[in-house]
Amino acid sequence: MLVRCYRGKLSVWAAMCVLVLCWFYVFPVYRLPRDKDIVEEVLKQGGVWQKNQTGIDLYRKLLTECCDPRRMFAVTKENSPTGKVLWYDGEFYHSHTVNNETYPLLVKSRVSPSDRQDNPLRLPLKKCAVVGNGGILRHSQCGRDIDQADFVLRCNLPPLSKEYVDDVGTRTHLVTANPSIIEKRFQNLLWSRKVFVDSMKVYGSGYIYMPAFSMKTGTDPSLRAYHALADSSSNLTMLFANPEFLRTVGRFWKARGVHARRLSTGLFLVSLALGLCEEVTAYGFWPFSVGLDEQPVSHHYYDNILPYTWFHAMPEEFVQLWHLHKSGALRVRVGRCSAQGGGG
Amino acid sequence: MLVRCYRGKLSVWAAMCVLVLCWFYVFPVYRLPRDKDIVEEVLKQGGVWQKNQTGIDLYRKLLTECCDPRRMFAVTKENSPTGKVLWYDGEFYHSHTVNNETYPLLVKSRVSPSDRQDNPLRLPLKKCAVVGNGGILRHSQCGRDIDQADFVLRCNLPPLSKEYVDDVGTRTHLVTANPSIIEKRFQNLLWSRKVFVDSMKVYGSGYIYMPAFSMKTGTDPSLRAYHALADSSSNLTMLFANPEFLRTVGRFWKARGVHARRLSTGLFLVSLALGLCEEVTAYGFWPFSVGLDEQPVSHHYYDNILPYTWFHAMPEEFVQLWHLHKSGALRVRVGRCSAQGGGG
């Protein structure tokens, strides 16, 4: 009896140890530098940034090998014919088979005689701006810089109203929309769809990029978003993120030490841009509560609502971005754009 | 033991007798004249019809007393403020409480200084045409007659395409739409809504009258139909049929021998017209498989798809209509409209 009790305790302790080790692996706070050290490091780097074509080429090659962004970033008529099984990347054992209802909703890749390419975008993209929604953008005066890019990518249907224009710009070529936003902000588009359609007009005639096949619950709202735009003859084109691409990009960064349950939309977009663009600048990526001037920074440039769950590993992702910045593969802007100084 | 067995058999027989009696009560085929007799009776009456103002006034009075169509035919902001409990008339023990989502969707009654009235329609209505969808309308040439009415009421979103215009006319002031049509023909409006919005254009700038609160499953599709029209700035106005009105009209006809599980939309509309209009003509009501010329008649003027269940007691309803016709309270047209003869 005593032996059995002892053994029982031992296995409980063993399980606890495994759990703690997993926890350290998934939330690797211990491996990250302190916020203060990161701020100091960014300040040290200052406004200096040197483009490194070798670094750019290397990352494009690595991303092409792992994830093939040109061909795979969206669910297209070419990579997903009727009958194709799309396995949800955000959950286990669920899939959607492309059928007669979904196939007509998929975008067609461009095929031109001179440049046969398997991608809905007009490639090559030259200067790309990936705009995160960090509070660091507030008073950054980066709007003009962002608008000067050839291709502007934004995250999660951000507001572009007049008060933010100076800081975030006006142009959008691709904007992501999580199905959860469709649920929360537009009642899953089950009732009126006018508010949704009207509020999409701010994104001009670009692409809406939705992870329709990441979670099962997100598919119907995403398809409804497609129909709402199509019914209203919107200038926007719906692109469904390919779950295979999201999965391979996740693995790519996991192998480089980013151990979140899921990558942020921002890092997905940066990865896409690194794969497709000749030059990438990232704005609005700053997951710390104080800025370079040691003043508090809000979570988003438009509000300070913190995420409900710690789903992403934002500081860890930032360390990766900063590594890319230092190596010259992309530029991360975190200071004021009009001023000369102020890091990044 | 023998006694118990004998008693058991007796109660089974008693139950059977009650069931048979109920069946005779609900489906009173035995009480109805034969189809042939009805056709002969209609032919005998011929084209002769004499308006009887006393009969018209009497039915308007009876319907006002039982059902108050002027005030109650639709769910309005006046008769159904927030908090009002609407009991579904098509099923037991279910209700919808008017709330902040539904109240703004309700129509407002007209109130003019000269003629204060509690009704969304511009009353009084003079000559009304209630158009059923019976195959009897085919080759009737009644389109011009129908279009000459001041107010045209139609049932269940019927087609009004070019090929039918001569027989059914083009004008519509009120058309009913059952939620089941929204489900079958427009996939419950969960996906694209363009086909629905476009196909409603044929009904001009009239009213769509939907029994949104008859069955619980019909509420959501009806509310979605409202939003689809509102989002597209349609000229049509949505009216939700008041379940209280549908219930009292049902009782009115039950007391006069119509024992169906539910009245047809046609008889509801005739009742509404008798309550609101100065003169009513009914077209397309003929629930028999042969016409006056003994030739086969299709179920609808646009198809011959029979209803899935014998939900309504159409021949019984027709007998009531013919009774009204003979008494001069309304006119039932069953023959060709351009020709002189041909009953009704």
Side-chain angles (χ1 to χ4, degrees):
Chain A
M1 183 68 184
L2 193 75
V3 175
R4 209 191 287 168
C5 182
Y6 179 74
R7 267 193 194 163
K9 272 188 183 167
L10 200 70
S11 52
V12 167
W13 276 108
M16 287 285 281
C17 285
V18 170
L19 274 173
V20 168
L21 284 172
C22 286
W23 192 85
F24 269 111
Y25 178 75
V26 174
F27 300 102
V29 185
Y30 73 100
R31 285 185 276 125
L32 278 179
R34 289 177 308 155
D35 288 11
K36 207 183 153 205
D37 296 339
I38 295 175
V39 172
E40 269 175 18
E41 156 80 22
V42 173
L43 276 171
K44 202 168 67 190
Q45 184 90 0
V48 185
W49 181 74
Q50 192 62 47
K51 177 176 162 181
N52 173 6
Q53 194 57 47
T54 317
I56 292 172
D57 294 343
L58 173 69
Y59 267 93
R60 188 175 309 129
K61 188 170 169 282
L62 287 173
L63 281 159
T64 302
E65 280 169 9
C66 80
C67 320
D68 198 358
R70 288 175 75 104
R71 212 177 70 82
M72 290 300 289
F73 93 103
V75 183
T76 65
K77 280 195 163 66
E78 285 68 30
N79 64 34
S80 303
T82 307
K84 165 86 182 178
V85 178
L86 301 169
W87 287 96
Y88 288 86
D89 63 294
E91 55 187 328
F92 296 113
Y93 312 125
H94 282 112
S95 64
H96 173 89
T97 305
V98 177
N99 55 34
N100 291 342
E101 265 80 54
T102 38
Y103 182 74
L105 279 46
L106 305 182
V107 79
K108 241 180 111 54
S109 295
R110 290 173 180 276
V111 179
S112 70
S114 61
D115 172 34
R116 191 182 160 79
Q117 62 175 66
D118 203 0
N119 189 294
L121 309 178
R122 196 185 295 273
L123 298 183
L125 304 174
K126 294 194 173 173
K127 286 177 86 170
C128 291
V130 182
V131 188
N133 295 330
I136 196 83
L137 271 173
R138 206 90 195 250
H139 312 302
S140 69
Q141 296 288 314
C142 285
R144 216 163 68 180
D145 258 57
I146 291 169
D147 281 348
Q148 276 171 0
D150 301 303
F151 199 82
V152 179
L153 303 96
R154 298 184 192 269
C155 304
N156 288 340
L157 304 180
L160 297 179
S161 40
K162 217 177 161 189
E163 63 208 281
Y164 306 122
V165 161
D166 289 347
D167 297 331
V168 302
T170 57
R171 298 173 74 215
T172 305
H173 297 87
L174 183 147
V175 60
T176 71
N178 276 349
S180 59
I181 291 185
I182 304 295
E183 188 188 344
K184 281 179 210 149
R185 220 195 286 174
F186 306 107
Q187 300 172 293
N188 253 336
L189 299 173
L190 283 170
W191 314 110
S192 175
R193 294 174 174 181
K194 197 172 183 301
V195 177
F196 170 73
V197 169
D198 286 350
S199 60
M200 290 306 104
K201 285 177 183 159
V202 75
Y203 306 114
S205 56
Y207 291 95
I208 304 260
Y209 185 58
M210 289 193 79
F213 305 104
S214 282
M215 305 283 281
K216 210 166 156 42
T217 51
T219 303
D220 283 359
S222 306
L223 301 184
R224 269 197 276 281
Y226 173 94
H227 286 296
L229 293 174
D231 283 357
S232 64
S233 308
S234 163
N235 291 327
L236 289 159
T237 303
M238 179 65 79
L239 282 178
F240 298 128
N242 197 317
E244 187 55 32
F245 174 70
L246 301 181
R247 189 179 291 111
T248 51
V249 170
R251 276 189 210 136
F252 178 85
W253 289 110
K254 194 163 234 166
R256 277 154 186 83
V258 180
H259 295 287
R261 219 181 120 193
R262 192 178 169 78
L263 287 193
S264 73
T265 305
L267 194 51
F268 275 124
L269 281 196
V270 166
S271 313
L272 178 64
L274 284 171
L276 302 184
C277 308
E278 290 179 3
E279 200 178 311
V280 180
T281 309
Y283 301 81
F285 285 80
W286 185 257
F288 312 109
S289 54
V290 290
L292 295 173
D293 52 3
E294 296 194 343
Q295 292 300 303
V297 169
S298 61
H299 187 64
H300 294 133
Y301 69 80
Y302 44 89
D303 67 33
N304 196 25
I305 297 169
L306 297 170
Y308 180 63
T309 51
W310 199 240
F311 210 60
H312 307 304
M314 295 296 202
E316 209 179 15
E317 290 187 3
F318 183 82
V319 170
Q320 293 294 325
L321 287 182
W322 196 248
H323 172 72
L324 288 166
H325 173 87
K326 283 195 290 181
S327 70
L330 67 75
R331 184 174 192 187
V332 180
R333 299 297 305 248
V334 285
R336 280 174 69 88
C337 282
S338 53
Q340 284 301 307
Chain B
M1 183 65 185
L2 193 75
V3 176
R4 210 191 288 167
C5 182
Y6 178 75
R7 267 194 196 163
K9 273 186 183 169
L10 199 71
S11 52
V12 167
W13 276 108
M16 287 286 281
C17 284
V18 170
L19 273 174
V20 168
L21 284 172
C22 286
W23 192 85
F24 269 112
Y25 178 76
V26 174
F27 299 101
V29 184
Y30 73 100
R31 285 184 277 126
L32 278 179
R34 290 177 307 156
D35 289 11
K36 206 183 152 204
D37 296 338
I38 296 176
V39 171
E40 269 177 16
E41 157 81 21
V42 173
L43 277 172
K44 201 169 66 191
Q45 184 90 358
V48 185
W49 180 75
Q50 192 62 47
K51 175 177 164 180
N52 173 5
Q53 193 57 49
T54 317
I56 292 173
D57 293 343
L58 173 68
Y59 268 94
R60 188 176 308 130
K61 189 170 167 282
L62 287 172
L63 281 159
T64 302
E65 281 169 8
C66 81
C67 320
D68 197 0
R70 287 176 76 104
R71 213 178 68 83
M72 290 300 289
F73 93 102
V75 183
T76 65
K77 281 195 162 66
E78 285 68 30
N79 64 33
S80 304
T82 308
K84 166 85 180 175
V85 178
L86 302 169
W87 287 96
Y88 288 87
D89 64 293
E91 55 187 327
F92 297 111
Y93 313 125
H94 283 112
S95 64
H96 173 87
T97 304
V98 177
N99 56 33
N100 291 341
E101 265 80 53
T102 39
Y103 182 75
L105 278 46
L106 305 183
V107 79
K108 240 179 113 55
S109 294
R110 289 172 182 279
V111 180
S112 71
S114 60
D115 173 33
R116 191 184 158 79
Q117 63 176 64
D118 203 1
N119 189 295
L121 310 178
R122 195 184 297 272
L123 299 184
L125 305 173
K126 295 194 173 174
K127 287 176 85 171
C128 291
V130 182
V131 189
N133 296 330
I136 197 81
L137 272 173
R138 207 87 196 254
H139 311 303
S140 69
Q141 296 288 315
C142 284
R144 216 163 66 180
D145 257 56
I146 291 169
D147 280 348
Q148 275 171 1
D150 302 304
F151 199 82
V152 180
L153 303 96
R154 300 184 190 268
C155 304
N156 288 340
L157 305 180
L160 296 179
S161 41
K162 217 176 162 189
E163 63 208 282
Y164 305 122
V165 160
D166 287 347
D167 298 330
V168 302
T170 56
R171 297 174 74 215
T172 306
H173 297 87
L174 183 146
V175 61
T176 71
N178 277 347
S180 58
I181 291 185
I182 304 295
E183 187 188 343
K184 281 177 211 151
R185 220 195 287 172
F186 307 107
Q187 299 172 291
N188 255 333
L189 298 173
L190 283 169
W191 314 109
S192 175
R193 295 174 173 180
K194 197 172 183 301
V195 177
F196 170 74
V197 169
D198 285 350
S199 60
M200 291 307 103
K201 284 178 183 159
V202 75
Y203 306 114
S205 57
Y207 291 95
I208 304 260
Y209 185 55
M210 289 194 79
F213 305 104
S214 283
M215 304 284 281
K216 210 165 156 44
T217 50
T219 303
D220 284 359
S222 306
L223 301 184
R224 269 196 277 281
Y226 173 94
H227 286 297
L229 293 175
D231 283 357
S232 64
S233 309
S234 163
N235 291 326
L236 289 158
T237 304
M238 180 64 80
L239 281 178
F240 298 128
N242 197 316
E244 187 55 31
F245 175 71
L246 301 181
R247 191 178 290 113
T248 52
V249 170
R251 275 188 211 137
F252 178 85
W253 289 110
K254 195 162 234 165
R256 279 154 186 83
V258 181
H259 295 286
R261 218 182 121 194
R262 191 180 169 77
L263 288 193
S264 73
T265 305
L267 195 51
F268 276 124
L269 279 195
V270 166
S271 313
L272 177 65
L274 285 171
L276 302 183
C277 308
E278 290 179 4
E279 200 177 310
V280 180
T281 308
Y283 302 81
F285 286 80
W286 186 258
F288 312 109
S289 54
V290 291
L292 296 172
D293 50 3
E294 295 194 342
Q295 292 300 304
V297 168
S298 60
H299 187 64
H300 294 133
Y301 69 81
Y302 44 88
D303 67 35
N304 196 25
I305 297 168
L306 297 170
Y308 180 63
T309 50
W310 200 243
F311 210 60
H312 308 305
M314 296 297 203
E316 210 180 13
E317 289 188 4
F318 183 81
V319 170
Q320 293 295 325
L321 287 182
W322 196 249
H323 172 72
L324 288 166
H325 173 86
K326 283 195 291 181
S327 69
L330 67 75
R331 186 175 193 186
V332 180
R333 299 298 305 251
V334 286
R336 278 175 69 87
C337 283
S338 51
Q340 284 302 307

